[in-house]
Amino acid sequence: MNLLPSNWADVPLMSLSLLGPLAMFALVSSITPGPNNVMLASSGLNFGFRRSVPHLLGVNLGFTLMIFLVGIGLGSVFQQVPQLYTVLKYAGAAYLLYLAWKIANSGSMEDGEARGKPFTFLQAAAFQWVNPKAWVMAVGVVAAYTPQNGFFANLVIATVVCGIVNLPSIGIWVTFGTALRRVLHRPWAIRTFNVGMALLLVASLYPVALELVH
């Protein structure tokens, strides 16, 4: 079966009037604080931009693939077996708390150069599947910005657009963290920054905590 349309003019997302809102959603959701961006900023500070590149690319390509897989039917699996999504969500929350603890207890930049290891490409890509914000973004792209008429072609376009917009958006956070290496030289300043990033990471779990309360 041919999933691609015979006439690309029939694909709604080929219209700039629809691509604009999709690109804006991708920009706003990618550049605002969240687990990925907090961890990328911390990685930039502790390891520098070059050593954080695999982490950066893993987030970008892992999230891009996630959008596509959610679009072609993974989301329906969780609708049929909601317990799987619940387990994944709370396992992800527990893992984020562990990462927050690791960030808060990071040493100085010299210690990071000698002993620490930034996220690998595969670790960062796999992390997207336990990242609550990534799930919200992926489902939002598929549900709100991918027209049903010519769905597969629209999904491909939406995936590519989000991937292109996401990379420089999250790259800003690595650059921000790397730039702080020139400012934060004292161990107490670096520790303060890392603790602040860890607290932001914990704060990103507010929606999950709210569900537990209710």
Side-chain angles (χ1 to χ4, degrees):
M1 181 177 63
N2 184 15
L3 295 175
L4 296 177
S6 57
N7 185 0
W8 282 89
D10 295 332
V11 180
L13 269 184
M14 292 298 286
S15 166
L16 292 179
S17 63
L18 293 181
L19 279 178
L22 169 64
M24 183 60 65
F25 172 80
L27 174 64
V28 172
S29 56
S30 294
I31 207 170
T32 50
N36 280 323
N37 290 335
V38 168
M39 288 161 51
L40 286 169
S42 181
S43 182
L45 173 69
N46 290 288
F47 306 112
F49 192 94
R50 183 180 62 82
R51 293 186 67 192
S52 299
V53 167
H55 186 170
L56 174 68
L57 294 179
V59 170
N60 176 250
L61 295 178
F63 172 65
T64 302
L65 177 62
M66 183 183 191
I67 293 175
F68 185 74
L69 292 179
V70 167
I72 62 176
L74 189 57
S76 63
V77 173
F78 292 108
Q79 289 181 345
Q80 297 174 9
V81 189
Q83 294 84 356
L84 288 178
Y85 178 71
T86 302
V87 170
L88 186 65
K89 178 172 60 179
Y90 291 120
Y95 186 55
L96 282 174
L97 290 175
Y98 167 75
L99 290 175
W101 179 82
K102 293 282 288 184
I103 290 173
N105 288 279
S106 297
S108 65
M109 285 186 286
E110 290 75 15
D111 291 338
E113 295 285 352
R115 295 185 287 103
K117 292 183 179 180
F119 257 32
T120 66
F121 174 86
L122 291 178
Q123 285 175 326
F127 173 70
Q128 304 317 301
W129 297 96
V130 294
N131 180 359
K133 184 182 178 184
W135 273 105
V136 171
M137 291 168 61
V139 172
V141 168
V142 174
Y145 294 94
T146 307
Q148 294 299 308
N149 181 30
F151 178 78
F152 184 81
N154 284 315
L155 177 63
V156 171
I157 295 171
T159 300
V160 171
V161 169
C162 289
I164 292 174
V165 174
N166 176 261
L167 184 58
S169 299
I170 61 177
I172 290 174
W173 286 81
V174 184
T175 304
F176 168 68
T178 303
L180 288 179
R181 290 167 67 89
R182 302 176 183 177
V183 180
L184 302 180
H185 296 292
R186 298 182 181 277
W188 67 264
I190 297 171
R191 173 55 63 87
T192 300
F193 176 83
N194 285 333
V195 170
M197 291 295 100
L199 291 175
L200 282 177
L201 197 57
V202 173
S204 71
L205 293 173
Y206 173 76
V208 178
L210 200 61
E211 287 186 16
L212 284 175
V213 172
H214 294 289

